[in-house]
Amino acid sequence: MSVLFAIVLLPLIAALLPRLVQSMGRSTVAIVTALPVLLALLLLLGTAPSVLVDGELLQAAVPWLPQAGLMLAFRLDGLAWLFALLILGIGLLVIVYGHYYLEKSDSGGRFFSLLLLFMAAMLGVVCSDNLLLLVVFWELTSISSFLLIGYWSGQAAARKGARMALTLTGAGGLALLAGVILIGQTVGSYDLGTVLASGDLIRSHALYPLMLVLVLLGVFTKSAQFPFHFWLPHAMSAPTPVSAYLHSATMVKAGVFLLARFYPALAGTDLWFVLVSSIGLVTLLLGAWMALFRHDLKGLLAYSTISHLGLITLLFGLSTRLAAVAAVFHVINHATFKASLFMAAGIIDHETGTRDIRKLGGLRRYLPHTMALATVASMAMAGVPLLNGFLSKEMFFAEAADTPLYGSLNWLVPTLATIAGMLSVAYSLRFVHDVFFGPVPAALVAHAPHEPRRLMRVPVEVLVLLCLAVGVFPAVVVGPLLAAAATATLGGELPEYSLAIWHGLNVPFLMSLLALTGGVAIYVWRAPLFALQRRWPRPHAPAIFEQAVQALVAVAGRFVRFIDNGALQRYVSWLMLPVALIMLAAMASRPDWLGEHALTPVDGLSILATIVAVLAALATVVLRRQRLVALLMISVVGLIVSLAFLRLSAPDLALTQLSVEVVTVLLLMLAMYFLPSRGVIESTWWDRSRDLFLSLSIGVGVGLLALFAMTHPGATISTFFIDNSIPGGGGANVVNVILVDFRGFDTLGEITVLAIAAAGIYALLENLGLCLPIYDPEGRPWAKDRSPLVLQMISRAVLPIALLVAMYILVRGHNMPGGGFIAGLITAVALVLQYVASGVHWVHARVPHNYHPLVAFGVLLAGLTGLASLLLGYPFLTSTFEYIYWPIVGKFELASAMLFDLGVYITVVGATLLILARLGKLSVVEQEEGN
Amino acid sequence: MSVWVEGLVAALILIGAGFTLVGSIGLVRLQDVYTRLHGPTKATTLGVGGIILASLVFFTAQTGVLSVHEVLITLFLFITAPVSAHLLAKTAMHRQEKKVQSTRGEPWQQ
Amino acid sequence: MLSFALNAAFVMVGIAMLLGSWRVLVGPSLTDRVLALDTLYINSIALIVLFGIYLGTSMYFEAALLIALIGFVSTVAVAKYLLRGDIIE
Amino acid sequence: MEILLAIMIAVLTSCGIYLILRLRTFPVVVGLTLLSYAVNLFLFAMGRLTLNAPAVIGATDQYTDPLPQALVLTAIVIGFAMTAFLMALALRAWGEFGNDHVDGTAIPGSDGDDRR
């Protein structure tokens, strides 16, 4: 079913567009945003016949991470269809409204991108056919709503509100994930259909209470249920279109959507009833009570939303099938009237510059049209007959009155429901009367507000018309939709219900009547209530939340500062400590570190060399503060290591080590010139003993490990390389054939790393202003003779010899020790010698010294050699070779791998010279600037 | 390989190694850095030259073709050794390293 | 005869290297250390050539050649560092 | 020979790690160089030791394990690149903060005055 994917993914892909076309004007942005949504809406409506009329279940799935049970699976049943309609329909209206609402200075592209992202996330939540996928989208709604609430990121309130919303809904999302995983593990599948069919299995599971609580945590945080309700009023710092969309119609409904979704799987137990209905009831009352006293228009609406969400939650909690139908119905109705009210509040804010009810009044003179719309919507909210709110509230009263539960307290629910109804009427009345009627405050007269652009009111009109239409012709307008959604929710047969305005003079009607009259009475005599409320000792939830967050941050900060105090030494110690402990443990557990593998014979010179290396290494440590001495010591170590490679049949390594040795020494000396040349003693005794312990235990451990490996027989895969070196690679030097042929891809990677390192060093040293030392470390001025003549002359004589040797080593590398790496280093050393002997200017006047392209060319050459074999139909970097006859030289074998090696050679030359010449030029640049 | 060649090689090796050793002994035994410069730069270079010559004779006799490596190494060594020594002497003078009585002249005062 | 000469030479060169290392470690002056390091490089050349004769292979001669080159370069560079501080200027 | 190599690896590792744990950039770079010697020898040792049998076909009748050698060969070159990068970083830190402490922060009164 590609339609399903299209519906969900259209907004997701389109989320990129508004930012791209941002420069093309505000209208373009709005149109580009609206079109995909319209398209998705039309696609959705196109599925109406099959989903709503035939009751089909549309499904589409693509594996994502099937091993983890995560599928990109979507379903469209009645419930999902209803929510998708709300999301896309109201979304479209919000886009139109938002276009006129945003100021010219606001970034429309960012706003609409985020809005579309949120829309896609919401669609993903309601259409998911996989529990894990649902959680993914659920978190995406949290994140996108965080960004939307914090859209005006310059305002502290917006940032704070966004953070609060993210913390709570994000934490709820984690709880939901845990719950979902528990459910998935219990059922054995994350497939929604399977889970919904396994309700009995879940409910009888020992961990059912835990699953339920975890899922409900997700629901209650998202739907702003007590005691997590306080984030919603703070989220009102978002732009009003966001409030209208997220905080009335969609995101907060995600929670109750989940209640509906999991209804067949989780509902029906006493625990469900107690938890869901009591939380719903508390939220219903608390929200309504708080709403009455809000002075902020959007605050009032926010608390009213909390109250209505409580109502829906309560209905789901009542666990009767009719209550669930009523809940779904109220979802539709609340979305329509509350979105329109938010938009009206936005218009008022937009036109008068304030949302404070105390500063508003008599607006009917300026905004007659808006007044009419707001009044109708408020009446729907209050539950006045002939409007949609009345119908669902009527059903709610009926269910509340019929509740046989709570034992002898069975009068409690209907009474509290009626009181909530009264409060709802009262705050609705306050919203209309305080704003549109009464005297006009002086400040407003001067402001002279006027009706907004015609199109800005269209979305409100559409929604209000829907309120009316549903209220007057419920069965026609909303009947099939409600039936389909309720069927999907209940997962079975629908109970008997009738969508009529007049059911006769029954208990629910009386309750409605009572609520209406009581509400008017409360509004009329509200002054004492306001006084009472002012003295009301209330725990300030946001403050408590802030304190908790601050405490958490402080604890985390202390912990982080303990671990991460910025001292590199400490990090390395922390890293080394486990290594040392593991080493010690390993040494203790394996006493047989000297295996029975025959030892190779020892000779006196090797012992001598080892002693020298050990002494030099120790001297490096002891004399490290005399930095040049330390440098000479590591040269000795390097020389011995190279000789060891030679002795142990690794001439290639010896050659490489020797040439790297000298470039390293040059490099360190170049750096040492700038750095202080003597160290200071600053480690404490304790530091040094700790380091001694760490280094000794790791050193001994590594040594024993090496001994263990060397004296135990091991399997090797090298037989293949030795056997195939000549037939497969055309070279006798197996090490080189491995480098350029068998493992050529690795080598390509390595020279790339080398090139990147060189470029990185170049960039690091860019614009680095270092002071040149005038005196040497002992306080003597430097010698005046820049480059002794004899050195210059002899170095020039050495260059051709060295280059000849390098070429020789490069060419013969395939068959004898040598190769691109070594030849490259030798060439680099020979050229660096010219730098040392004759200076940068002399060299740069004679040698092309732009090493960047050289490095790039080398890597490219090596890569292209590989690609050439690809073109010829062989795998990447397959080498071919041919024997040719050269006069004088004799029979000569030419392998394509040699071209690869040439690439290696060029890269190494370029990278080494790039690094050293850059370091060397540091002082030259300084001097030039100085002069 | 004839006995004569072998004898020649052995002799060259022993002479070379002997000079090398003497150079190093000088490096240790002599009194100040200026005199110590003499040991390695002269004796050792000569010694290594002897050993390389031995190798040249040995491999040329073995393969019948003139062994080029050794020539190259010798050439290289004999070109560079004086330069190294020169620079080191310059360094010692620049740094005014301590000298013993018998080392005459104070060139850095010129 | 040859093997005796080789063994004797190995011993002598070995002792020479030991003496050179002693000078590197002890100093006393920086110039001494550099000089001794240079000597070590040259001794290594002797050692490698001897090793080549001993094994009868010329495979290791490039290493000797290379040591000659890098010994020279590093000695020159250190000397230049001691003289001028800035080795590439 | 194995024991000698093991001793060398152990000493080089110890010295390298001890130097890496110092507080100034230069000893750390030197320590890293020592440590990379040790690591290279260690990797090389994984191929077991063979005397006088380089992996060149035709030169001898048995061959040492060439694979660790190939790995170590590139490791040596990459090790140089890493040392150079670290040194450049140290120079940059010296230029930015006026001291060569490894933490890369300006420490008042440490040895910023050393800068001449």
Side-chain angles (χ1 to χ4, degrees):
Chain A
M1 266 311 292
S2 53
V3 174
L4 255 174
F5 278 109
I7 291 172
V8 178
L9 296 181
L10 255 176
L12 191 65
I13 296 163
L16 295 169
L17 296 179
R19 293 217 83 155
L20 294 179
V21 300
Q22 194 159 347
S23 57
M24 295 164 70
R26 285 163 47 81
S27 305
T28 319
V29 172
I31 290 166
V32 161
T33 313
L35 275 181
V37 178
L38 187 65
L39 190 59
L41 185 62
L42 290 177
L43 283 174
L44 182 76
L45 292 175
T47 62
S50 51
V51 174
L52 296 189
V53 180
D54 305 340
E56 266 183 57
L57 171 65
L58 303 183
Q59 280 176 306
V62 174
W64 185 355
L65 281 177
Q67 296 84 354
L70 180 57
M71 311 283 277
L72 205 59
F74 295 113
R75 67 146 62 196
L76 197 61
D77 55 9
L79 184 66
W81 203 92
L82 163 66
F83 272 89
L85 180 69
L86 289 178
I87 293 161
L88 288 169
I90 298 185
L92 197 58
L93 297 177
V94 164
I95 290 168
V96 175
Y97 177 80
H99 173 61
Y100 294 100
Y101 178 84
L102 284 185
E103 303 288 339
K104 293 258 187 308
S105 55
D106 293 325
S107 160
R110 186 159 67 92
F111 180 80
F112 286 116
S113 274
L114 291 172
L115 204 67
L116 282 176
L117 180 68
F118 171 79
M119 189 181 287
M122 251 343 266
L123 284 170
V125 168
V126 299
C127 293
S128 281
D129 199 14
N130 181 290
L131 294 191
L132 293 175
L133 186 68
L134 192 151
V135 177
V136 170
F137 281 116
W138 181 276
E139 295 290 9
L140 199 57
T141 61
S142 295
I143 293 165
S144 50
S145 85
F146 166 76
L147 294 170
L148 279 169
I149 296 171
Y151 174 72
W152 284 318
S153 49
Q155 300 175 2
R159 292 197 302 270
K160 208 168 156 189
R163 204 166 58 223
M164 199 184 283
L166 181 67
T167 313
L168 277 169
T169 55
L174 285 181
L176 176 66
L177 177 62
V180 157
I181 289 175
L182 273 180
I183 292 175
Q185 294 297 319
T186 307
V187 177
S189 163
Y190 291 101
D191 178 59
L192 192 62
T194 319
V195 170
L196 293 185
S198 320
D200 292 328
L201 178 69
I202 296 170
R203 280 186 290 266
S204 58
H205 196 270
L207 286 176
Y208 168 73
L210 185 60
M211 295 175 206
L212 181 63
V213 168
L214 286 171
V215 170
L216 287 183
L217 274 175
V219 168
F220 291 164
T221 48
K222 202 79 161 183
S223 277
Q225 297 296 292
F226 178 84
F228 309 112
H229 60 278
F230 54 88
W231 69 263
L232 188 55
H234 282 264
M236 289 302 131
S237 16
T240 300
V242 173
S243 306
Y245 192 42
L246 271 67
H247 305 131
S248 69
T250 52
M251 188 175 89
V252 290
K253 295 280 167 57
V256 289
F257 166 79
L258 211 61
L259 284 180
R261 200 28 120 201
F262 282 139
Y263 194 81
L266 294 174
T269 60
D270 288 346
L271 189 64
W272 167 281
F273 170 72
V274 172
L275 280 178
V276 179
S277 68
S278 56
I279 293 287
L281 189 59
V282 171
T283 313
L284 166 68
L285 278 168
L286 185 83
W289 173 258
M290 300 285 279
L292 185 58
F293 303 109
R294 289 286 109 178
H295 298 304
D296 177 20
L297 271 182
K298 281 175 75 180
L300 187 152
L301 293 176
Y303 275 105
S304 141
T305 302
I306 293 173
S307 168
H308 280 271
L309 290 167
L311 188 155
I312 298 168
T313 307
L314 172 60
L315 278 170
F316 277 117
L318 290 177
S319 299
T320 64
R321 300 176 80 78
L322 257 177
V325 176
V328 174
F329 192 25
H330 198 66
V331 165
I332 307 173
N333 297 335
H334 178 253
T336 46
F337 67 68
K338 191 50 67 63
S340 59
L341 279 172
F342 265 115
M343 289 179 188
I347 291 175
I348 294 165
D349 184 15
H350 202 249
E351 300 306 326
T352 63
T354 180
R355 299 193 317 233
D356 193 325
I357 295 178
R358 288 166 300 185
K359 293 180 188 159
L360 293 167
L363 283 183
R364 69 173 192 281
R365 248 175 282 164
Y366 302 106
L367 306 168
H369 204 108
T370 310
M371 183 209 78
L373 295 171
T375 310
V376 176
S378 299
M379 280 158 68
M381 174 159 79
V384 174
L386 290 182
L387 289 162
N388 59 357
F390 170 73
L391 296 172
S392 47
K393 200 160 264 189
E394 192 89 325
M395 287 167 91
F396 163 62
F397 283 148
E399 285 309 303
D402 282 354
T403 304
L405 299 155
Y406 285 125
S408 59
L409 292 176
N410 60 358
W411 52 268
L412 188 69
V413 175
T415 312
L416 292 178
T418 314
I419 292 175
M422 289 179 192
L423 289 169
S424 157
V425 172
Y427 64 66
S428 304
L429 202 53
R430 180 159 181 249
F431 183 91
V432 174
H433 191 260
D434 279 16
V435 172
F436 293 105
F437 295 90
V440 186
L444 266 188
V445 179
H447 201 278
H450 53 85
E451 283 284 351
R453 300 269 295 274
R454 176 80 189 83
L455 273 169
M456 189 170 177
R457 280 176 320 205
V458 165
V460 194
E461 287 165 355
V462 170
L463 289 170
V464 168
L465 267 178
L466 273 175
C467 289
L468 267 170
V470 173
V472 180
F473 309 107
V476 181
V477 177
V478 86
L481 178 59
L482 179 60
T487 313
T489 307
L490 295 170
E493 284 298 300
L494 276 186
E496 281 292 316
Y497 67 91
S498 84
L499 286 175
I501 302 165
W502 180 248
H503 289 112
L505 194 66
N506 50 13
V507 179
F509 186 74
L510 286 177
M511 283 165 81
S512 280
L513 218 55
L514 201 60
L516 279 172
T517 47
V520 174
I522 289 175
Y523 180 69
V524 172
W525 291 295
R526 64 187 183 279
L529 269 180
F530 271 72
L532 174 71
Q533 201 268 345
R534 268 195 287 278
R535 277 176 315 202
W536 195 275
R538 54 203 153 128
H540 200 46
I544 297 170
F545 173 82
E546 262 318 296
Q547 275 170 14
V549 168
Q550 293 302 331
L552 197 65
V553 168
V555 169
R558 236 170 293 149
F559 179 71
V560 167
R561 273 190 295 281
F562 173 68
I563 301 275
D564 171 18
N565 61 349
L568 196 64
Q569 196 184 27
R570 184 184 283 211
Y571 301 163
V572 181
S573 319
W574 277 116
L575 196 68
M576 295 294 176
L577 185 65
V579 179
L581 293 179
I582 291 168
M583 283 291 182
L584 288 174
M587 275 186 275
S589 68
R590 288 302 292 255
D592 60 336
W593 34 262
L594 189 61
E596 60 282 351
H597 199 65
L599 296 181
T600 39
V602 180
D603 54 83
L605 270 178
S606 301
I607 298 178
L608 210 77
T610 310
I611 293 171
V612 172
V614 166
L615 288 178
L618 292 175
T620 315
V621 174
V622 175
L623 301 174
R624 64 178 178 277
R625 290 190 196 90
Q626 302 168 43
R627 293 184 169 169
L628 187 65
V629 179
L631 193 63
L632 296 178
M633 292 304 158
I634 54 169
S635 296
V636 174
V637 178
L639 179 64
I640 304 281
V641 169
S642 315
L643 291 177
F645 281 138
L646 213 56
R647 180 83 184 93
L648 298 170
S649 330
D652 293 275
L653 293 190
L655 293 172
T656 318
Q657 182 69 64
L658 281 169
S659 29
V660 162
E661 180 63 36
V662 65
V663 285
T664 309
V665 167
L666 289 169
L667 171 88
L668 293 184
M669 274 195 301
L670 282 167
M672 234 163 46
Y673 173 55
F674 297 104
L675 291 175
S677 56
R678 278 180 181 277
V680 281
I681 303 172
E682 52 189 349
S683 305
T684 59
W685 177 85
W686 154 247
D687 281 342
R688 266 180 271 157
S689 15
R690 176 199 60 194
D691 299 346
L692 209 59
F693 163 77
L694 287 176
S695 51
L696 278 183
S697 44
I698 295 176
V700 173
V702 170
L704 287 181
L705 187 62
L707 192 59
F708 180 90
M710 283 186 283
T711 54
H712 285 77
T716 173
I717 55 168
S718 295
T719 329
F720 168 82
F721 297 125
I722 292 171
D723 291 345
N724 288 284
S725 182
I726 287 183
N733 180 10
V734 189
V735 177
N736 184 264
V737 174
I738 291 177
L739 280 176
V740 298
D741 192 331
F742 294 129
R743 310 290 306 157
F745 206 37
D746 294 357
T747 310
L748 185 60
E750 267 138 1
I751 57 173
T752 312
V753 170
L754 192 64
I756 293 169
I761 291 164
Y762 189 88
L764 260 180
L765 298 177
E766 195 77 1
N767 296 326
L768 181 61
L770 288 174
C771 302
L772 295 180
I774 307 163
Y775 301 102
D776 74 0
E778 276 115 54
R780 246 177 258 113
W782 299 114
K784 294 197 177 56
D785 188 5
R786 244 190 198 195
S787 26
L789 190 64
V790 59
L791 177 60
Q792 288 185 29
M793 291 305 136
I794 296 297
S795 300
R796 282 168 213 173
V798 164
L799 182 64
I801 306 180
L803 289 181
L804 185 72
V805 172
M807 281 307 125
Y808 173 63
I809 281 185
L810 172 67
V811 172
R812 76 159 205 172
H814 217 45
N815 291 312
M816 292 287 274
F821 278 109
I822 301 161
L825 286 164
I826 295 174
T827 309
V829 169
L831 284 169
V832 167
L833 179 63
Q834 308 310 311
Y835 277 105
V836 173
S838 311
V840 172
H841 291 299
W842 188 88
V843 177
H844 283 184
R846 285 158 185 83
V847 180
H849 57 276
N850 199 355
Y851 300 119
H852 285 105
L854 194 63
V855 177
F857 176 70
V859 177
L860 210 62
L861 181 62
L864 286 179
T865 317
L867 283 179
S869 59
L870 207 60
L871 283 181
L872 294 174
Y874 293 102
F876 189 56
L877 284 171
T878 307
S879 90
T880 172
F881 56 93
E882 203 62 57
Y883 290 97
I884 54 167
Y885 189 82
W886 271 14
I888 304 170
V889 181
K891 196 174 128 193
F892 189 79
E893 166 251 329
L894 200 65
S896 74
M898 286 182 164
L899 210 57
F900 181 82
D901 220 12
L902 187 65
V904 173
Y905 168 79
I906 293 172
T907 312
V908 171
V909 173
T912 313
L913 284 176
L914 184 61
I915 294 169
L916 292 178
R918 187 80 191 85
L919 270 166
K921 267 171 75 180
L922 276 180
S923 59
V924 178
V925 173
E926 284 291 318
Q927 281 164 351
E928 278 167 359
E929 282 170 2
N931 291 343
Chain B
M1 196 185 300
S2 72
V3 182
W4 292 109
V5 174
E6 200 177 316
L8 180 63
V9 171
L12 282 171
I13 287 175
L14 284 177
I15 292 168
F19 272 105
T20 310
L21 182 59
V22 167
S24 289
I25 292 173
L27 182 67
V28 173
R29 289 279 296 154
L30 291 172
Q31 293 303 306
D32 63 9
V33 67
Y34 305 100
T35 45
R36 281 198 282 265
L37 259 170
H38 292 299
T41 49
K42 298 178 179 71
T44 302
T45 310
L46 188 62
V48 173
I51 290 175
I52 293 173
L53 203 59
S55 167
L56 178 75
V57 174
F58 180 80
F59 282 104
T60 307
Q62 199 179 44
T63 56
V65 184
L66 183 72
S67 185
V68 191
H69 291 91
E70 286 85 347
V71 180
L72 206 60
I73 299 177
T74 318
L75 185 71
F76 196 86
L77 210 56
F78 280 29
I79 292 178
T80 56
V83 183
S84 307
H86 173 78
L87 276 175
L88 285 174
K90 250 178 115 76
T91 311
M93 277 158 55
H94 169 72
R95 295 174 56 83
Q96 307 187 1
E97 304 287 11
K98 281 196 219 68
K99 64 184 185 74
V100 290
Q101 278 290 294
S102 53
T103 306
R104 269 168 297 175
E106 301 204 337
W108 55 87
Q109 282 178 350
Q110 288 165 7
Chain C
M1 183 163 56
L2 190 57
S3 69
F4 167 76
L6 276 171
N7 281 326
F10 273 130
V11 172
M12 285 194 269
V13 175
I15 294 172
M17 288 189 79
L18 195 63
L19 294 173
S21 311
W22 185 79
R23 190 47 87 190
V24 176
L25 289 169
V26 171
S29 73
L30 270 171
T31 317
D32 278 313
R33 295 182 202 263
V34 182
L35 176 63
L37 185 63
D38 190 47
T39 313
L40 268 185
Y41 279 123
I42 296 175
N43 287 344
S44 307
I45 299 173
L47 193 66
I48 292 170
V49 174
L50 284 176
F51 192 55
I53 300 175
Y54 173 73
L55 291 179
T57 169
S58 57
M59 193 180 286
Y60 299 127
F61 280 6
E62 277 66 34
L65 193 55
L66 196 55
I67 291 184
L69 174 65
I70 69 148
F72 174 62
V73 174
S74 55
T75 306
V76 163
V78 177
K80 178 123 195 243
Y81 175 77
L82 288 174
L83 285 169
R84 294 277 305 163
D86 193 8
I87 58 171
I88 295 179
E89 54 189 344
Chain D
M1 210 61 123
E2 277 82 359
I3 297 174
L4 285 180
L5 190 62
I7 291 173
M8 201 143 116
I9 292 172
V11 172
L12 290 180
T13 311
S14 293
C15 294
I17 289 178
Y18 187 80
L19 285 177
I20 284 176
L21 287 165
R22 297 305 91 209
L23 284 173
R24 298 286 155 171
T25 48
F26 190 78
V28 171
V29 176
V30 171
L32 199 72
T33 312
L34 279 185
L35 192 65
S36 42
Y37 289 153
V39 170
N40 290 338
L41 282 175
F42 182 87
L43 285 179
F44 172 70
M46 292 304 106
R48 310 301 186 275
L49 304 188
T50 323
L51 296 182
N52 312 330
V56 175
I57 307 287
T60 46
D61 42 4
Q62 56 150 348
Y63 308 107
T64 186
D65 194 337
L67 191 60
Q69 292 194 20
L71 298 180
V72 171
L73 201 153
T74 49
I76 294 172
V77 180
I78 298 285
F80 163 67
M82 188 175 67
T83 310
F85 193 84
L86 204 63
M87 211 63 247
L89 214 57
L91 272 182
R92 185 90 221 181
W94 166 247
E96 301 283 333
F97 302 113
N99 68 67
D100 64 337
H101 197 281
V102 288
D103 292 348
T105 42
I107 301 166
S110 67
D111 62 351
D113 310 329
D114 246 31
R115 225 174 154 200
R116 284 180 291 245

